[in-house]
Amino acid sequence: MKGLMMDSHLTVSSILQYAEKYHQDGEIVSRNVEGGIHRYSYKDAAVRSRRLANGLKRLGVTPQDRVATLAWNTHRHYELYYAVSGSGAILHTINPRLFPDQLAYILNHAEDEVLFIDLTFIPLLEQVAPQLKSLKKIVVLTDREHMPKSPLPEAIPFLCYEALVEAESEVFEWPEIDETSAASLCYTSGTTGNPKGVLYSHRSTVLHAWASISKDALDIGNNNTLLPVVPMFHVNAWGVPYSATMVGAKLILPGAGMDGASLSELIAEEQVDLLLGVPTIWLGLLQYCDQKNIKLEPVKNVVIGGAAAPLSMIKAFQEKHDAFVMHAWGMTELSPIGTVNSLNRHMAKLPIEERYKLQTKQGRPVFGIEMKIAGADNQALPHDGESFGHLLVKGPWVASSYYKVEKSPLVDGWFDTGDVATIDPQGYMNIVDRAKDVIKSGGEWISSIDLENAAIGHPALAECAVIGVPHPKWDERPLLLAVVRESMEISKEEIISFLADKVAKWWLPDDVIFVDELPHTATGKILKMKLRESYQSVLSEAT
Amino acid sequence: MKGLMMDSHLTVSSILQYAEKYHQDGEIVSRNVEGGIHRYSYKDAAVRSRRLANGLKRLGVTPQDRVATLAWNTHRHYELYYAVSGSGAILHTINPRLFPDQLAYILNHAEDEVLFIDLTFIPLLEQVAPQLKSLKKIVVLTDREHMPKSPLPEAIPFLCYEALVEAESEVFEWPEIDETSAASLCYTSGTTGNPKGVLYSHRSTVLHAWASISKDALDIGNNNTLLPVVPMFHVNAWGVPYSATMVGAKLILPGAGMDGASLSELIAEEQVDLLLGVPTIWLGLLQYCDQKNIKLEPVKNVVIGGAAAPLSMIKAFQEKHDAFVMHAWGMTELSPIGTVNSLNRHMAKLPIEERYKLQTKQGRPVFGIEMKIAGADNQALPHDGESFGHLLVKGPWVASSYYKVEKSPLVDGWFDTGDVATIDPQGYMNIVDRAKDVIKSGGEWISSIDLENAAIGHPALAECAVIGVPHPKWDERPLLLAVVRESMEISKEEIISFLADKVAKWWLPDDVIFVDELPHTATGKILKMKLRESYQSVLSEAT
C-alpha cells in the first residue's frame, strides 16, 4: 500500500525559489575576476538566474543538453548553477587545472555545445581549441568593458555574459522536473586513465544539501557566513551553492583569490565563521597568518576535506585561531560528502589531546550514507579500529555508474571508493591510504598518509609526500619528499629522528628528498602517480 | 536523461539502523507507566525492536497490515515505531483522548487486528470493546508482574509485551521497502465529522525528519537532550522519535507524566535543553515553576505548536528561564511540521520587544514546504502581512488524500489547511484563526486567537477562549470564556478594560464568562465547537 502523500519532486530550482521568498536579503559576496567585490542578495541572484535561463533558451540550450563552465567561485558561476539545472539542462563544471588533453577529452565526451568561461581561462581555451569537436558557442563571464578578443575561429560566437543576461526578461517559470533527472555533471580528477563523468540528479543534489546542513554534518544555518574555498568547478564546491542557499547563509565566493592574503582579508571584512577547503589552501592561509600575526577572529569552524588534515593543522586552527576543525571525507562519486567529524556529545567530553587525535579521523557517515570495509575477498571486516580494508559506500547521492560507460562500477550494490580505511567501534572512519598509494613492504602495508601526517608536524616542513618506490628486497619502501619552509633548514637525519618515536621502526622512510614544490591535482591532492614515475628508481639505484 | 545515482530508498528502518551503528551510546530515558524510570541506549532499543519485529511476525502481522497503539511516550512505544514500520506494516497510533465512539470508529475503519495498549487505557478498551469489529489480539505494554486481567471475551488473546519481546530472537533483517510505501497512519483529531486517516509514507517520514533537524527548523543535533511532551499517539510526536534517532540526541520520554511537577523533575534530572509541546502543557509547567520558584536551568529552546503561543508565554520562558521559544505550526496532514520561527540573522538583530512580537508569529516554512494564502475565489493574496486568506500548502510530506476516502482534498494540487493566515514580505506566516473559528461580525472578521492572546497576558487569567456566538444584529459577536488562576480574582470589567488598548474597539468581547476549565482535544487545542454549542444562545438571550 502506498502512503498518501504528495508526489512532490526534489529539484534544484526549488532551492533558489525558496531562497528568493524566505532569504531574500541574504547576501552573496563575490570577488570579481576583473577585480573588486560584487555584492547582492539571494533575491537579486534569483532574478538574474531567471534572466540567464531565458538567455540559455536563446542560445538554443534545450533540456538535458550539457552546458559547460570553466569558472571560479563567483556570483556568475552561482547563477549558472541554478539557471542551467533549473531549466532542465545539465551543468557541466570543468576543472581548469586538468591537463589540456583531459580538458579536451571531457568537453568532447560530454558533447558540450556552449561553454561559459572566466577571463582567466581564455588562454587555456585557445590551447585546447584545435581538439574540440562539439563546442559551438562561448560566453565570457564578464561585462562589455572587459570583453577580450576571441582567440577562436570567427564561426564560433564569442559572447558577453552580462550582455546576455541584460537582454533578457526576468520572467521565467522554472519547469517541473522529475527528481531523478540529471542536474549536473562532474568528471573525476582521476590520476589514472581518462576522467569519468558523474551525473548527479536533482534528487541526489537536494538530499545531499539537506544532509550536509545538519548540525552533525557541516552545521550550516541562516546565521552563518560561509567561505567555500573549495572550487565550484569541482564536485559543486561540496554542494555549498545549494546548502548555503537552502538556509540563506551569507555566502562569500573568493573568485580567483585563493592565497592567504586574499582569504584572510575576506574573512575579516565579511566576518566569515565557516571555512571549507582542502589542506593545501589552509597551509597557505595559516602560514600567512603566522607571518602577519593575524588571528582569524570570526572563524568558528573549518571543514577540511580532499586530503588528510594533519594534527598540526587541527591544533593550529584551534590554538591560534580558536576554530574547530571538522574533518570531512568524500569524493566526486559521493556528491561529495560521505563523512564528517563533528563535535558530538562523545567528542565534547574528551581531554583536548585525545580530542585532537580523534579529529584527525575522517569522521562518521552522515545519515543517508552506508559504509563498510572489506578485504580482498569482498568479505566485510570488523569495525574494530584496527582492521583495514577497501572502503565501500552506498546511498542516495552515491554514483551507480559513469556517464556513457556501460560497465557498472558497483560490487553487490556497493561503490568501491578506492580508499583503504579502518572503522572503529563508534563508527569513526579513518582513511589509511588510497588503495594505490599504500606502500607494500615485505608483505605488510604502510600508510603513506600516516607517515606524511607525522612528518608535517615538524615546524621546518611546509609540505611533504610519502610514496612507495620499488625496492629490490622489500618490493616497495617509503620515500619522503619534503618541501622546507622559506628561510628554514633541516637535514634528512633530523627528519628521520623526528619520526622515530612517532611510527614503527620498519615504517621509517628509506630516504628523504628535498624538493621545491610538489605537484597537485586541481583539488589540492598530491599527484603521487607523477612522483612515483619521477622517483621510481631512486631506491633500486641506491642499493 | 536520468542522473546516474543509486536508487537508494528512504526508509524508517534505516534511521534506527544508522543509530545502532553511530549513536549506540545515545540514551533513551522513559518514565514508565508502572512507575520509575527506564533507561537504555539506541543500541538496546534497536535490538529490542528486532525482537519485537519477530514477535509481530509470530502474531501474524504481515506487510501493510495496520497495527494499532494506544500508548504514552515510552520506550516500548518507541520500539513499536520502528518494529512495525520497519517490518513493512503500518503503525497506527491512536489518540486515547478521542471520544469512545471516535475510537471505535477509527479501530474499525483502519481494520486493526492487533492493538498494543498501555495499562492506563485498559478501561477505555473495555468501554469500546462491544463496538470493535476487526480486533483479534491485544498486547499490553507491560511486564508479567503488572499484567492485568483481560476485560475482553476469552476468545481474544490478551498478551504481555515483555513476554512477547523476550521470547524472540534479536536476529531480524529489516526488509527493503519502497520509499513510497505506507509507514504509519494517524487520524485527524477533527472536531467535525468522522476522523480522517492520514497515511504517511517512508519517504515523507524520512524527509520530514531531515527537514526538522536543521538549524533553522527545530535545531536538533547529537548534543541535544529532547523532551517531547507532544504525544507519540498523535502525529508521531512531531516526528521526534525519528529526528532524535537520526542525530542520536538524548531522548526523554515523559510517559503519562505531563504535569508541571513531573516535567520539571525530568528537565532538571536529565538536563533537558529542548522542549516540544503545546501551550496548555507549558501553562501548567510555567505555573508550577512560579509556585515553586524553579528556574528551568538547562532548557535553551522551547518549540511550541498545536495552538498559538501567547506573548506572555514567550516572555515568561525568555525572562524567567532564559529559554528561547520557537513557535511552530503544522497539522496532522503535514506530518506535521509546516513552519518554524527560529532565531535567524534577521531576528537576532531586533530589539527585544520587537523580537517578542515577531516570535508570536508561526514562522516561515521549512525548506520543502510551499505556502500561499488565497481568497474565497482561490486567487493568491499578496504577502504583505495584512491580507488574510485561506492557507494552502504543498510538499513531499503533505497529504494528498485520506485513507479510504475517494474524494481528493486538494485544490489545484494544493492542500487547504482550514486555517486563515497572513504572510508578511519576509515570509513570516501568522495564523489569524481557524477558518471555522473566525468571528464574522457585521461582514468583518475578528480573530479569536488575537483576542485570546491579548487576554491571556493578564496575570489573573490561567487560560481563556474566545468564540463567536450568534448575535441578532451583527451575525456573530465575540464571547470570552476565562479560567481564573487559583487564589486570584478579577472582574469582567477589569478584563475588558485590560483589552481596551490592545485591540480595536469593535473587537472587544460582548461578554466575559468565568469557567472552571475549558474542554480540550487530545493535542491540547480548545474544543471550540463544544463551547459554541454550550454558549450559542448567551448573546441572543441577553439582548
Side-chain angles (χ1 to χ4, degrees), chain A residues 6 67 69 108 112 123 246 258 307 335 398 411 413 418 427 466 482 541:
Chain A
M6 287 187 181
V67 174
T69 63
N108 291 332
D112 300 308
M246 200 178 253
M258 310 283 198
S335 305
V398 178
V411 185
V466 172
E541 280 165 3

Side-chain angles (χ1 to χ4, degrees), chain A residues 69-177:
Chain A
T69 63
L70 257 174
W72 298 105
N73 292 11
T74 70
H75 67 288
R76 295 186 182 116
H77 204 178
Y78 177 94
E79 289 158 10
L80 282 158
Y81 265 58
Y82 285 97
V84 174
S85 305
S87 62
I90 298 169
L91 177 81
H92 174 204
T93 55
I94 302 180
N95 189 334
R97 290 176 185 151
L98 293 174
F99 305 113
D101 280 359
Q102 288 181 316
L103 266 178
Y105 169 84
I106 286 175
L107 277 155
N108 291 332
H109 187 263
E111 300 167 78
D112 300 308
E113 297 191 1
V114 182
L115 169 68
F116 288 78
I117 188 169
D118 261 331
L119 289 166
T120 330
F121 305 123
I122 304 281
L124 191 61
L125 175 64
E126 199 173 352
Q127 203 181 339
V128 301
Q131 299 176 59
L132 300 182
K133 291 172 188 159
S134 59
L135 206 62
K136 296 202 177 120
K137 282 168 189 161
I138 310 289
V139 183
V140 185
L141 294 162
T142 191
D143 52 25
R144 284 193 183 84
E145 296 94 83
H146 292 86
M147 271 302 282
K149 277 210 173 140
S150 172
L152 302 180
E154 244 181 58
I156 297 185
F158 196 75
L159 310 165
C160 168
Y161 182 84
E162 288 299 329
L164 178 77
V165 169
E166 279 161 27
E168 301 295 335
S169 155
E170 69 179 63
V171 179
F172 180 86
E173 278 285 322
W174 299 108
E176 290 195 12
I177 292 173

Side-chain angles (χ1 to χ4, degrees), chain A residues 248-268:
Chain A
K250 185 171 166 187
L251 178 61
I252 315 297
L253 301 172
M258 310 283 198
D259 57 291
S262 305
L263 294 176
S264 74
E265 184 192 289
L266 271 182
I267 290 167

Side-chain angles (χ1 to χ4, degrees), chain A residues 202-404:
Chain A
H202 284 265
R203 171 180 161 106
S204 70
T205 306
V206 173
L207 292 182
H208 179 268
W210 240 326
S212 61
I213 61 174
S214 80
K215 270 172 108 167
D216 300 325
L218 305 186
D219 192 24
I220 302 177
N222 185 270
N223 290 301
N224 289 112
T225 301
L226 275 66
L227 178 64
V229 190
V230 56
M232 288 168 72
F233 56 66
H234 192 63
V235 219
N236 302 330
W238 300 351
V240 170
Y242 309 114
S243 52
T245 308
M246 200 178 253
V247 302
K250 185 171 166 187
L251 178 61
I252 315 297
L253 301 172
M258 310 283 198
D259 57 291
S262 305
L263 294 176
S264 74
E265 184 192 289
L266 271 182
I267 290 167
E269 289 190 359
E270 304 299 336
Q271 291 290 297
V272 172
D273 56 26
L274 177 61
L275 302 175
L276 304 100
V278 298
T280 321
I281 293 289
W282 305 136
L283 272 178
L285 177 63
L286 288 171
Q287 281 175 27
Y288 180 82
C289 289
D290 278 355
Q291 283 160 18
K292 302 281 176 183
N293 206 15
I294 291 171
K295 186 181 171 193
L296 302 169
E297 292 284 357
V299 178
K300 293 207 181 75
N301 287 313
V302 183
V303 184
I304 303 188
L311 181 61
S312 52
M313 182 176 286
I314 293 169
K315 278 189 173 180
F317 271 117
Q318 189 68 57
E319 294 172 6
K320 295 181 185 172
H321 302 283
D322 247 340
F324 178 79
V325 168
M326 294 196 274
H327 211 328
W329 169 89
M331 53 198 304
T332 309
E333 291 89 339
L334 268 89
S335 305
I337 298 172
T339 64
V340 180
N341 200 344
S342 52
L343 186 57
N344 58 20
R345 196 182 282 267
H346 166 69
M347 193 192 282
K349 286 186 203 146
L350 293 179
I352 189 73
E353 290 299 326
E354 271 181 62
R355 197 189 89 180
Y356 284 147
K357 213 174 145 195
L358 182 57
Q359 280 182 270
T360 64
K361 296 195 176 192
Q362 274 71 26
R364 313 197 298 173
V366 297
F367 174 76
I369 293 292
E370 288 178 73
M371 198 164 264
K372 67 174 182 181
I373 45 175
D377 52 357
N378 202 28
Q379 286 301 300
L381 293 171
H383 293 189
D384 55 12
E386 300 291 333
S387 312
F388 55 94
H390 294 274
L391 180 66
L392 298 155
V393 295
K394 233 186 194 179
W397 54 87
V398 178
S400 57
S401 56
Y402 294 103
Y403 185 49
K404 295 202 240 171

